[in-house]
Structures are given as C-alpha cells and as structure tokens.
Amino acid sequence: MSIPPTRAGSSDDTPREPLEGFGEDFSTLSVHAGEARQKPGDSITDPIFCASTYTFTDTQAVIDYIEQNQTREEYGRYGNPGERVVERKLAALEGAEDAVLYSSGMAAMVGLLMTKLSACDEVIFFDECYHRSREFCTKHLSRFGVVTRQVRACDYEAMEAAINPHTKLLVSESPTNPHMSCVDLERFAQIGREYKVETLIDATLATPYNLRPISAGIDYVLHSATKYLGGHNDLLAGVVIGEKDKLEPVRKLRGIMGAINGPQNVYLLSRGLKTFELRMQRHNENGQRVAEFLENHPRIERVLYPGLPSHPYHEIAQETMRGFGGLITFFVKDADWRETANIVDAVKIPRIAPSLGGVESLIEQPLVMSYYQCTPEERREFGIHDNMIRLSCGIENSEDLIADLKQALQR
Amino acid sequence: MQFRTRAIHVGNERCPTTGAVVPPIHVASTFVQPGAGDWGEFDYSRSGNPTRKALETTLASLEGGSGALAFASGMAATHCVTAMLRSGDHIVAGSDIYGGSYRLFHKVANRAGVTISLVDTTNPTNLAAAITPATKLVWIETPGNPRMSITDIAACAEIAHEHGVLLGVDSTFATPVLTRPLELGADIVMHSATKYLGGHSDLMGGALVMRDSVLRDELYFVQNATGAIMGPLECFLCSRGLKTLELRVREQSRTALALAEWLKSHAQVTRVLYSGLPDHPGHEVAKKQMAGGFGAMLTFELNGDFQQTKQFVQSTKLFQLAVSLGAVESLIEQPASMSHASYDPADRAKHGITDGLIRLSVGLEALEDLQADLQQSFETIN
Ligand SMILES: Cc1ncc(COP(=O)(O)O)c(C=O)c1O
Ligand SMILES: Cc1ncc(COP(=O)(O)O)c(C=O)c1O
C-alpha cells in the first residue's frame, strides 16, 4: 500500500527523507491486514470466539483433519480464529511471514528461548535489557543447563568473542530499556549469519512502525504487545515474529506449555492496532518534543532519547528508525534519589506506574520501581542511577505534558 | 487541559482501591449498601454504574456540558428526549435528519400526542416561522444526512431561546472534536456513540450531554425510569475509543477533504456534497462552527444510472458495502438502494436523493489506497 512514509519530524517540523524498508502503509495494514474481507456472520468486525473447543461433524471429519493435515481449529490451546487474525496482522505490520502470540511479552520470550535452547547450549545477551528477561536467563534457564553470557550493549567485538560452538542465539533489545541504546541491526544480523547463530531482537520500545529488524536480516522479532501494540494499558500480550518454518516449533511448544492469550484480550489487541499508526506518530512527536524540552531545562543533567543529537546512538537511530517512540530516560542534576522522587511525585498528568507505550503517560524512577531490592553495586552494574527517571509519553497534548513537567521541575 | 488530554484522563482516574491505570469494568447489576435506607453512590446499575459514570464524565468534559447520559443506542438517546415531552407539545425538526429520528418523531412520539413539523434548517429563519406556542423542542442535525447540509447552530439557538424552546443537536457527524454545540448555545447534544465516539464499529451506544444540570437531572429521571442504558462492556469500549477520538477524527477528516477535492475534479462525478468544498452552500457556516476539519462523511453523485451506481458501490475493495459510519474502516453505500430505499422515487427526488448518489464514510486507511480503490471502481463503469 502506497505512501512513502516519512520519519516523525523533530519539533522544528523540517521534513526528512523517507527511510528505506518502510514501504508498507501502516494505517491501511493496521485496519485491514490479516482480516478476511467477508467475516463470519457478515460482521464488519471479527467476532470474538470464546469457545474452548471446536466441533467435528462426525468421526470421519476428525480422521480427515488428522490425515490431511487440514487447517482448522481444534482446541483453544492450539489456536483461535481471533488470535490468527492478530497474528497475521502483526506479521504484516512487521513485514514478516508469521507471528506467534502469547499471554505476555515474558511468555513470548520464554516460549522462544525454551524452543530454541537445550542443555549445554549458550545464549548471548547484550546486558542492557528488561530485568526480567535477564533474570529468566540467569536464574532459570541455567537450571536446564543453558549458559547465558552477557556482554556490554552494542559491543559487537565482545559479542563475537563470546561466541563458541555451543552458542545458539544472540539476543538484544533495541532500543534498550531504559538506556535507549540502539543496536546496529545489520551488523548484529551479520555476526549471526557469519557464526551460524540465530538472532533475536526485542523491539518493544521501537515497534514495527519505527524499526524493521526483519528487513535488516534478524531472525526473530519479539514484542511485549502490552506496550505500544495494544496501546491502551488495558491488556497483556507478547508476540514472536519471523519465518513460518522457524516459528513452527515455537507454535507447537506454545500449544504444550499453554501461555496463550484470551479471546477478549486478543480482540482488544486487534482493536488497538487499528489506530497504531496514529498513536505512534503522536508518541514519536510527544517523545521528541518532551525530550528536547528536558534537554534544555537547567535542572536536567542528561536525557537519553535516540532522537536527540546528544544521544550516543543518535546516528544509527537516524539511519534505521522512522521515529524514536515515547520513552525517555533522564537524569536530574545534582539530585539524590529522594529529590528525584519528589519530581516524580510532583507531576500531575503522568501516573506513577511501571510499563510504557499506552495512551496515558506513565512515569517511574527505575531505582524505586524495578531495582529497589538490588544492592548499590548491582545497580551500578545495571546502569541504574539514583537520579534517573523514566517517562513514557502517552498521546496527550505535548504542551500539557511539557507544562506539567515544567511545574514539577520548578519546585 | 487540552481536548486530547481530557479525552484520556477526565473520567479515567486511577482506581482508588487497586491503583489500576484503567478503571475496572463494573459488570455488577447491584451494589451492596452501607445500611438499610442508607444509600451509597451506586445502588442498582440501571440507576448508575461506575463504568458508565466514567464515560459520562469524559463526554461531559469533551462537550463542555454539566453532565452526560449514556444510552443503549443513539435512538434510545433521542427517544429519552422525546419521552420528556408531554401530550400537546410540539417539535420542530430539520428536514435533513437521520431517518430513524424521522421515524421516531412521526411514528412513536406522535402516539403520546406530540406533534412535529419539519423545516429546512439550513435557513434558520424557517425555524422562527414554524415555532408555535406549543413548541418545546427544536431538533437539528449538522452535518445532515445524506446531503451534508450545514445548519448554523448559534443562529438556531438564538431563535429557539427567543421563544423559550430547547435546542437539541444531533452532532453524530461532527463529533466534539470539530463542533461543540453547547458552546454555541444548544441545550442538548446527542450522539450515536455507535459512530465516531466508539469509532471501531464494535458497539452500539448513544449519548446526551446537557448544558444545564436541571435539564440533565430531568433527562436522567426519564432514563432511569425507562431503562435504555449503555451496558458496562460497551461503556468501556466507548471510553477506550474516546482516547483516540481526536486523532481519528482529524485524520479521517483530512483524508475526506482530499478525496472530496479529487472527486470534484473527476470526469465521472457530477457533484460532490462536502461542506469543506468552497462551493458547498454550507461552507461558510461550516468554517465557522467546525474547527479544523469538516468531518469524514462525504456524498458524491456518479455520472451514471441506478445500475451503474449499484455496480460502483459493489466494486470497491477497501470501502466495504455497509450502512453505518464513523469507524476506522471505510464504508460505502448507495442511498437510493440502501439507507433511503424506503422513500418512494418522488420523495427521493424531493430530498435530492438521486440514483447516482454515493455516500462514503471515510476511515483511517491511507488516502492513496482509498483513492486508488475508488479509481478502480470508476474504471468498472463505462
Ligand atoms: C523491552 C521489554 N521486553 C519485554 C517485556 C515483558 O513484557 P510483558 O510485561 O508483556 O510480559 C517488557 C515489559 O515489561 C519490556 O519493556
Ligand atoms: C446522525 C445519526 N443520528 C442517530 C443515529 C441513530 O443511532 P443508533 O443507530 O446508534 O441508534 C444515526 C445512526 O444510525 C445517525 O447516523
């Protein structure tokens, strides 16, 4: 579908060059992709199938289903018509063949890792990542004899050096959470190809609107669909996207492990995707404007946002991303953790909560929200500073958000 | 706070018991009371429900009203207004109103002894002539359907109030993003929430928003007594839809304007009815009372007969053939065979509903895709 997309403009509204690899038109795909033109009951929207199981007319129909490997529903854990619609839609938005949906982003991560890794296999992680992904690998995969090696984010030489014949998967987020480091996806994919190791990018913070890992040669893309894809802070979901053949065993294991999403939830996800492009444009615009405001504020020491020229990965982000999303990490000048918390407490529009990517802005202090129980040494290791704030810009009016931050910083 | 920020936050306060960022969906039919004869805020879900109240609070804020009521459908909302009237009361309504409202006024409200006159409200002076001492309500719709006629809300409010009559506005096509009738003097705004407010073709609902709280209380009394309330799941979906209302309506209106301009220059089109075009009779008023867009409904006339028009609307691939409107999916219909088929040909002619008329509800798809879709449909007609 046709429009040559442009990147979200920075707030000076200068038009930018369209990026390669963003040929699809998101709004049309978001509304229609994956859906049958004529739906059951001639409904304009897909019905929600709550059924746990699907009937066969007679014994022969069961035998035909098995012998001819027919595609049809059988039992709710193996698939649901609404789930298939969303999977096709997500695959289309990502420019990929197939997608496997899960009950949460973590379930998707676990589902993929458990499919691809066996005892004695090794997985290499860039060390900036969602803390539960790290925890699963280091504390739980290890129980099954899988070795996790962490290297510094975006240190490709260190990654290469860590690869050995047992290595089965290279994993990173991009941008990383909460440091917003951006991976050179082509290089990452190239290393995978060279050493015959598969690659996985958790692109939750970017979304397929802003980043296309598949076209850069990455094997699997993962999203916590809880975030921008669902977009309304009212559902949990996760998805793994890639080639059909490679996802077949992933889908099979999901049917055994059972971390499937519910039909109503899946419908809300599909509904949320209809406004995906509009929401992302607004998140990108708000993110850029708020980041620029914060960077120029005397009380702010530093802002991590890939759309700012000061960001260490600005160049690669400019080259590979259409926009930079709504998530901003910033540091308050000369503030201890309490003074930082006071700012979090003083904002009126963003609410204090974990998560990100919804229409409502959310704010949190990583030290308190996710790393409170860690020792100061651990925090230092994970790059979590006392004066760090993470802000997820929603789709509110950016002037309202800026005015709110301004008053909170004035105190 | 700005409109878009209010659409997300007003009425959606964090849940005080759990902190949930999205309020829970209260499906309960009844609520446990603190003591016998000692009533809590909610007692029985027909009379009040927290999920419905959240939606009503948001709607009141977006329309700038003192209060709102959510109904099971748009018709239930309009019915509530007519049910407030008494035998002998008179309604003056616009001649370009939704067919269902026409039917309600002429075939249901009349049973209670309410009488009705229709006038062309695009010229508000017609109103003054039709108002009698028995008139209690003026009911207008703008933009009107299917001719996209524009009625000057402020002028109608002035005339209605001079005569001590209430003004109700069916603002379904405009939405509070583009027009806020209460700010222009109307007393009641009505919406088929089925359309843009819900926005995803997946709920039935209606709404009334009132400027004055005494009128709101009176309509609340009727709603509670008659019972056509919006269900909690629909309220939740509608509230969720409101969070992207401004983005959707602005984007859809932009696309509709571009399509209208393109259609106007198309060799196979005889006319385009869209108030965003300078030659539309309502353009000046629309510019004044619609902020930043002219809506996403547009009607055009194909240079073709009944059959060719029928073929056109059946040939589109993105535009789906269905009545209703206001959602993310684009829809197409032929008024002569669909929404206005029940009129006899003479009446259709009188209302300007020719066989070649085609009505579009422009969705969120990309302009280029929608335009290409219409073009391939034009090419099926020779
Ligand atoms: C980057 C990233 N990946 C994965 C997850 C896990 O997703 P979920 O919370 O849906 O399980 C999250 C969020 O919590 C995340 O931010
Ligand atoms: C302008 C207008 N008013 C009222 C209605 C009636 O609303 P509902 O179908 O939700 O009862 C409709 C829709 O059909 C409409 O288009």
Side-chain angles (χ1 to χ4, degrees):
Chain A
M1 296 177 169
S2 50
I3 302 192
T6 50
R7 286 183 206 152
S10 63
S11 52
D12 59 6
D13 282 331
T14 37
R16 302 222 211 135
E17 291 290 300
L19 286 179
E20 264 178 58
F22 288 87
E24 294 88 331
D25 177 53
F26 271 75
S27 57
T28 307
L29 288 178
S30 305
V31 176
H32 294 286
E35 300 185 14
R37 169 97 169 144
Q38 207 62 20
K39 300 182 177 63
D42 297 326
S43 273
I44 189 90
T45 49
D46 271 295
I48 301 171
F49 287 88
C50 299
S52 57
T53 191
Y54 297 82
T55 59
F56 292 82
T57 47
D58 54 22
T59 303
Q60 191 55 44
V62 184
I63 292 169
D64 289 348
Y65 165 65
I66 298 165
E67 287 188 346
Q68 298 166 17
N69 205 9
Q70 289 171 343
T71 43
R72 54 152 284 168
E73 300 307 344
E74 178 195 338
Y75 179 64
R77 186 161 19 79
Y78 306 137
N80 170 291
E83 174 185 87
R84 290 184 203 279
V85 168
V86 178
E87 288 177 341
R88 285 194 298 265
K89 202 184 274 294
L90 290 170
L93 289 171
E94 199 74 54
E97 275 179 14
D98 201 8
V100 184
L101 195 71
Y102 287 87
S103 49
S104 70
M106 274 318 298
M109 182 61 92
V110 169
L112 184 75
L113 295 175
M114 294 296 277
T115 314
K116 297 293 168 188
L117 301 170
S118 305
C120 299
D121 286 347
E122 298 196 5
V123 53
I124 302 176
F125 257 85
F126 275 165
D127 64 353
E128 290 171 4
C129 67
Y130 178 54
H131 63 111
R132 298 289 181 207
S133 304
R134 170 173 30 234
E135 188 179 341
F136 177 71
C137 291
T138 55
K139 295 208 182 130
H140 300 279
L141 269 183
S142 56
R143 292 191 288 124
F144 306 103
V146 173
V147 176
T148 301
R149 298 186 187 276
Q150 291 189 55
V151 299
R152 285 260 331 255
C154 302
D155 187 342
Y156 305 96
E157 275 128 40
M159 191 171 77
E160 279 189 70
I163 293 176
N164 66 41
H166 298 289
T167 310
K168 288 286 147 54
L169 198 61
L170 308 177
V171 184
S172 182
E173 294 176 11
S174 191
T176 61
N177 181 7
H179 298 89
M180 311 300 293
S181 304
C182 301
V183 172
D184 181 340
L185 296 177
E186 301 213 347
R187 185 160 178 197
F188 195 87
Q190 177 54 35
I191 295 171
R193 272 194 303 275
E194 198 175 316
Y195 293 90
K196 302 208 167 15
V197 181
E198 291 190 322
T199 48
L200 163 66
I201 292 292
D202 176 342
T204 300
L205 268 52
T207 83
Y209 182 75
N210 286 332
L211 190 69
R212 314 304 301 278
I214 297 281
S215 60
I218 299 295
D219 296 300
Y220 305 100
V221 180
L222 182 141
H223 294 284
S224 164
T226 312
K227 311 293 166 10
Y228 293 103
L229 299 177
H232 293 72
N233 284 328
D234 60 3
L235 61 92
L236 279 105
V239 65
V240 179
I241 301 172
E243 277 175 29
K244 201 171 183 57
D245 289 350
K246 288 185 185 164
L247 288 182
E248 210 38 56
V250 178
R251 188 180 293 283
K252 284 224 170 73
L253 188 61
R254 182 190 66 176
I256 295 170
M257 300 211 306
I260 50 157
N261 218 315
Q264 282 92 348
N265 232 23
V266 168
Y267 176 72
L268 284 182
L269 172 56
S270 177
R271 188 192 210 245
L273 285 171
K274 305 257 172 180
T275 53
F276 181 51
E277 179 178 42
L278 293 184
R279 289 187 289 103
M280 285 318 297
Q281 287 170 341
R282 193 66 53 185
H283 284 297
N284 286 348
E285 191 181 308
N286 285 358
Q288 186 73 32
R289 291 206 171 131
V290 170
E292 285 171 10
F293 161 77
L294 287 169
E295 185 159 60
N296 291 319
H297 196 283
R299 284 200 65 194
I300 302 303
E301 171 191 312
R302 193 152 69 98
V303 181
L304 293 177
Y305 185 73
L308 296 175
S310 61
H311 191 264
Y313 297 92
H314 180 61
E315 210 168 303
I316 186 77
Q318 282 275 101
E319 280 166 25
T320 55
M321 295 177 79
R322 168 148 57 175
F324 312 103
L327 200 72
I328 301 169
T329 298
F330 60 98
F331 302 82
V332 186
K333 202 175 278 175
D334 303 325
D336 62 18
W337 81 269
R338 186 68 252 182
E339 287 158 343
T340 308
N342 287 343
I343 293 170
V344 170
D345 289 337
V347 296
K348 297 206 169 71
I349 295 174
R351 292 163 189 183
I352 303 172
S355 204
L356 60 110
V359 294
E360 301 89 357
S361 295
L362 301 178
I363 193 164
E364 60 147 294
Q365 191 174 358
L367 166 119
V368 180
M369 192 61 80
S370 306
Y371 296 86
Y372 195 73
Q373 254 104 3
C374 296
T375 62
E377 292 70 40
E378 283 172 318
R379 274 185 224 128
R380 205 166 311 127
E381 185 194 326
F382 300 144
I384 303 303
H385 301 258
D386 291 1
N387 63 340
M388 189 182 211
I389 295 177
R390 196 186 80 171
L391 170 65
S392 169
C393 294
I395 63 168
E396 299 96 339
N397 191 287
S398 60
E399 287 160 29
D400 285 337
L401 292 178
I402 288 170
D404 187 26
L405 287 166
K406 199 180 269 175
Q407 67 78 25
L409 288 166
Q410 250 157 22
R411 300 203 174 182
Chain B
M1 279 192 287
Q2 312 254 353
F3 186 92
R4 194 189 311 143
T5 310
R6 282 185 280 125
I8 294 168
H9 291 281
V10 175
N12 294 307
E13 283 71 29
R14 67 192 284 279
C15 166
T17 32
T18 66
V21 69
V22 175
I25 305 171
H26 288 270
V27 290
S29 56
T30 192
F31 299 82
V32 181
Q33 300 305 309
D38 184 7
W39 298 105
E41 184 185 357
F42 299 100
D43 48 70
Y44 181 62
S45 256
R46 172 161 36 73
S47 313
N49 168 292
T51 309
R52 194 165 84 234
K53 184 184 166 202
L55 171 64
E56 291 171 343
T57 306
T58 315
L59 285 172
S61 167
L62 297 184
E63 285 287 3
S66 70
L69 299 169
F71 291 86
S73 68
M75 286 322 304
T78 309
H79 178 244
C80 183
V81 179
T82 63
M84 177 184 69
L85 303 177
R86 287 165 175 73
S87 181
D89 286 351
H90 175 239
I91 304 173
V92 179
S95 50
D96 211 17
I97 55 171
Y98 171 60
S101 311
Y102 176 96
R103 181 174 58 189
L104 177 80
F105 293 154
H106 288 85
K107 303 204 168 149
V108 179
N110 66 320
R111 298 181 196 184
V114 172
T115 57
I116 167 101
S117 311
L118 296 186
V119 298
D120 177 359
T121 52
T122 60
N123 180 357
T125 54
N126 292 339
L127 265 189
I131 290 174
T132 71
T135 307
K136 290 283 148 56
L137 176 70
V138 170
W139 192 259
I140 60 175
E141 190 176 314
T142 180
N145 181 7
R147 287 180 294 156
M148 305 300 135
S149 60
I150 300 294
T151 294
D152 186 334
I153 297 169
C156 290
E158 200 168 306
I159 295 166
H161 295 160
E162 252 168 44
H163 295 83
V165 176
L166 294 175
L167 174 66
V169 180
D170 180 339
S171 195
T172 299
F173 279 28
T175 83
V177 175
L178 304 177
T179 304
R180 284 179 293 281
L182 301 184
E183 292 172 2
L184 300 170
D187 301 287
I188 303 171
V189 185
M190 175 265 159
H191 286 283
S192 167
T194 314
K195 310 293 159 30
Y196 294 98
L197 303 187
H200 294 71
S201 297
D202 60 1
L203 63 93
M204 294 296 297
L208 297 176
V209 190
M210 280 60 64
R211 192 149 53 101
D212 170 54
S213 64
V214 176
L215 181 59
R216 182 254 164 218
D217 292 348
E218 196 173 341
L219 286 161
Y220 168 72
F221 174 83
V222 177
Q223 182 193 41
N224 187 34
T226 54
I229 45 134
M230 195 190 288
L233 293 170
E234 284 69 29
C235 289
F236 163 73
L237 283 177
C238 191
S239 285
R240 192 190 207 240
L242 289 180
K243 292 174 184 173
T244 54
L245 178 71
E246 185 185 300
L247 295 184
R248 286 185 285 109
V249 170
R250 293 219 179 284
E251 183 70 18
Q252 291 173 231
S253 300
R254 260 195 295 277
T255 309
L257 176 62
L259 280 179
E261 284 166 350
W262 173 71
L263 285 167
K264 198 169 151 39
S265 64
H266 199 285
Q268 282 161 278
V269 172
T270 48
R271 61 193 172 121
V272 180
L273 301 174
Y274 185 70
S275 69
L277 297 177
D279 66 353
H280 187 277
H283 182 63
E284 287 308 315
V285 175
K287 260 202 326 208
K288 193 177 66 176
Q289 76 184 18
M290 301 180 81
F294 299 92
M297 293 299 296
L298 89 88
T299 300
F300 68 96
E301 190 177 46
L302 182 75
N303 185 11
D305 60 17
F306 181 86
Q307 273 310 332
Q308 288 170 314
T309 310
K310 193 169 140 101
Q311 188 192 326
F312 185 99
V313 301
Q314 291 173 4
S315 304
T316 52
K317 303 220 157 64
L318 268 180
F319 282 94
Q320 301 182 83
L321 186 63
V323 293
S324 199
L325 58 109
V328 292
E329 309 86 4
S330 292
L331 302 180
I332 191 165
E333 68 122 354
Q334 180 183 24
S337 64
M338 297 175 71
S339 58
H340 296 71
S342 55
Y343 287 43
D344 63 42
D347 252 9
R348 283 209 293 266
K350 192 174 128 203
H351 287 86
I353 300 156
T354 59
D355 289 348
L357 228 49
I358 292 171
R359 192 184 78 174
L360 302 180
S361 170
V362 178
L364 262 190
E365 301 92 343
L367 167 65
E368 283 78 356
D369 290 331
L370 293 176
Q371 188 170 319
D373 188 31
L374 292 174
Q375 182 54 36
Q376 66 80 25
S377 211
F378 277 119
E379 284 159 17
T380 67
I381 312 290
N382 301 308

